[in-house]
Amino acid sequence: MLEIAPIRAEGLPDAVTIYEVGPRDGLQNESAIVPVEVKAEFIARLAAAGLRTIEATSFVHPEWVPQLADAAELLEVLERAPGVRYPVLVPNERGLERALEAEITDIAVFASATESFARRNLNRTIAESLTMFAPVVGRAREAGLGVRGYVSMCFGDPWEGTVPIEQVVSVGRALLEMGCTELSLGDTIGVATPGRVVALLEGFAVAGTSVDSLAVHFHDTYGQALSNTLTALREGVTVVDASTGGLGGCPYAESATGNLATEDLVWMLNGLGISTGVNLQLLVDTSIWMADKLGKPSPSRVVQALS
Ligand code: HMG
Ligand code: MG
């Protein structure tokens, strides 16, 4: 593999934690059902490549996301590597019960900053969805689980346009007050640009939220995910969501495409001398293998360049 000597740049962290969402966000948008053994091997390969947090699946309503209806079966066959966490999405108490039976250690609830997407994705108003999450977060924390809270549509929404920063901060703060241990700020349809990323992070800082509790989750629809991520790193964020091969999207958000590709992120961080613990070649090999299973090439530029 071509290697270029790294050069550090000022104002960036020494290490970044990659929160891998490929098996969940990546696959949830694929209409052809991927066999459970392929999912398990995908996750095992990601762990072998050095990823330490791999969002494995969702315990949502099986009819809402048929691709992930096999969540229980997947966790049953998945061989868990030491030191790796496998969070799962959980929308409600029914989902939590199913997840607890599968012996998970971390969950994520997922709110929306806009009413339009809350209705489409959760069949609830924002307020109703927060009421639905409260007992899930409370029970999960009592059970000793880590609980991430996502906020979707943090920058723009296909039905409502620009999303006011106060609206995002208000939903995010509600999730933290409920007991979420980390907040992931989602650009669900990939429309954010760096100025807006700074403004949102400042909005949280002004409201008293420490940047240590924030992660960023950029989809790459408009090709902005990497520049937005670099901007967030400069603002002090050190947890970045990414999807191996750039798979992804949300079946309930018009025009959402893949997440920031993990390979594109790792290439940039390697070049900056920022440690991630990830072996890029093993990730690229995994994406090539997965592209073959899905019958379509990875959209990641780094995967294409290194293939
Ligand atoms: P609902 O239809 O309002 O459900 O859906 P309900 O509460 O009225 O229940 C109806 C029936 O479903 C009941 O059964 C429940 O038991 C059952 P009945 O009593 O009629 O026989 N049910 C369930 N069964 C299994 N597992 C469950 C479950 N829940 C209810 N968990 C619901 C509400 C929240 C369930 C539904 O809207 C849903 O599942 N939504 C999930 C949509 C989704 O997964 N979207 C993609 C993930 S979010 C995302 O991708 C964004 C993110 O990446 C960040 C970003 O990019 O911004 C995270
Ligand atoms: Mg997403």
Side-chain angles (χ1 to χ4, degrees), residues 2-27:
L2 178 64
E3 289 199 31
I4 305 294
I7 294 189
R8 295 299 313 259
E10 264 178 51
L12 290 168
D14 293 332
V16 160
T17 301
I18 301 179
Y19 183 106
E20 169 67 36
V21 296
R24 193 280 303 171
D25 208 344
L27 293 184

Side-chain angles (χ1 to χ4, degrees), residues 21 24-25 28 150 188 217 219 249-250 259:
V21 296
R24 193 280 303 171
D25 208 344
Q28 74 181 7
Y150 280 102
T188 321
H217 179 105
H219 285 260
C250 178
N259 291 78

Side-chain angles (χ1 to χ4, degrees), residues 21 24-25 28 55 58-62 64-65 68 89-96 98 109-111 117-124 132-133 150-154 184-189 217-219 241 249-252 259:
V21 296
R24 193 280 303 171
D25 208 344
Q28 74 181 7
E55 199 169 74
S58 297
F59 285 90
V60 297
H61 195 294
W64 280 64
V65 184
L68 304 181
L89 249 57
V90 166
N92 53 18
E93 290 191 272
R94 176 78 193 99
L96 180 65
R98 291 174 57 213
V109 295
F110 46 105
F117 187 61
R119 175 58 63 196
R120 283 173 174 85
N121 199 44
L122 294 160
N123 198 23
R124 303 279 185 283
M132 174 168 80
F133 298 144
Y150 280 102
V151 186
S152 284
M153 302 297 176
C154 286
S184 176
L185 305 175
D187 183 14
T188 321
I189 56 168
H217 179 105
F218 293 112
H219 285 260
D241 298 7
C250 178
Y252 294 101
N259 291 78

Side-chain angles (χ1 to χ4, degrees), residues 31-52:
S31 46
I33 301 292
V34 176
V36 72
E37 312 76 56
V38 173
K39 290 175 179 167
E41 185 174 347
F42 183 36
I43 295 171
R45 281 169 169 262
L46 297 174
L51 289 159
R52 288 293 161 265

Side-chain angles (χ1 to χ4, degrees), residues 160-208:
E160 299 185 20
T162 307
V163 179
I165 286 166
E166 316 79 72
Q167 211 167 297
V168 183
V169 172
S170 147
V171 173
R173 300 273 307 167
L175 291 173
L176 287 171
E177 277 156 26
M178 218 177 260
C180 287
T181 43
E182 177 177 84
L183 208 56
S184 176
L185 305 175
D187 183 14
T188 321
I189 56 168
V191 290
T193 40
R196 194 159 278 286
V197 173
V198 173
L200 181 62
L201 292 171
E202 278 172 359
F204 273 102
V206 167

